[in-house]
Amino acid sequence: MTLPTSTASQIELKDFRLATCIGTYAPGDTVPEYHALDLTLWIHPDLVLIAQDGMAHVFDYDPLVIEIERLAADGLYATQERLMTRIVQACAAYPAIEALEMALRKFPVRAGSGSLGVRLAVDSAQLQRMREDRC
């Protein structure tokens, strides 16, 4: 897998608490209090190094954040991986996103302590395949 070079720009969303229900739990199991998302998007530097101020010259991430919130609240997920897949699919809808890394963690794991999560990296080739599959 090849992520963009160091000349690429990144947008970072960190520790974003999602209102979501993930997993099934038996009596006595530790039920997570919350899930947190870290999402890094690689975009072209031209969307950061701008000659004039204005939203028309940058990547507007607000609609994507709203979509992530909607996906998270879209019912019960058996796995973190399914929600992550849907978030990647949402990211693929934006041609400005060249690649991404994501981590989704639940808190706590046991007895009020720790986090447990899944990390994913999607390079430009894989993102492009997802875009082509949507057509």
Side-chain angles (χ1 to χ4, degrees), residues 26-88:
D29 286 350
T30 300
V31 178
E33 294 173 18
Y34 67 94
H35 287 78
L37 175 70
D38 292 339
L39 180 63
T40 302
L41 307 174
W42 274 263
I43 60 171
H44 196 278
D46 288 349
L47 295 172
V48 176
L49 299 171
I50 55 176
Q52 56 184 321
D53 196 17
M55 291 303 295
H57 309 291
V58 299
F59 176 74
D60 183 1
Y61 49 78
D62 287 332
L64 178 59
V65 171
I66 291 167
E67 178 65 3
I68 290 169
E69 287 179 310
R70 187 193 71 74
L71 291 170
D74 193 27
L76 174 65
Y77 290 93
T79 65
Q80 293 184 84
E81 290 85 351
R82 181 61 189 149
L83 176 55
M84 292 174 74
T85 298
R86 294 187 74 198
I87 293 170
V88 171

Side-chain angles (χ1 to χ4, degrees), residues 55-132:
M55 291 303 295
H57 309 291
V58 299
F59 176 74
D60 183 1
Y61 49 78
D62 287 332
L64 178 59
V65 171
I66 291 167
E67 178 65 3
I68 290 169
E69 287 179 310
R70 187 193 71 74
L71 291 170
D74 193 27
L76 174 65
Y77 290 93
T79 65
Q80 293 184 84
E81 290 85 351
R82 181 61 189 149
L83 176 55
M84 292 174 74
T85 298
R86 294 187 74 198
I87 293 170
V88 171
Q89 290 168 336
C91 291
Y94 294 88
I97 298 174
E98 298 176 355
L100 64 92
E101 285 187 352
M102 177 188 331
L104 183 60
R105 303 175 322 278
K106 65 180 179 179
F107 298 85
V109 178
R110 303 289 257 167
S113 179
S115 68
L116 179 68
V118 179
R119 183 171 298 278
L120 172 69
V122 179
D123 66 10
S124 57
Q126 188 172 16
L127 209 51
Q128 185 57 39
R129 284 192 299 275
M130 292 180 79
R131 289 178 177 127
E132 291 166 2

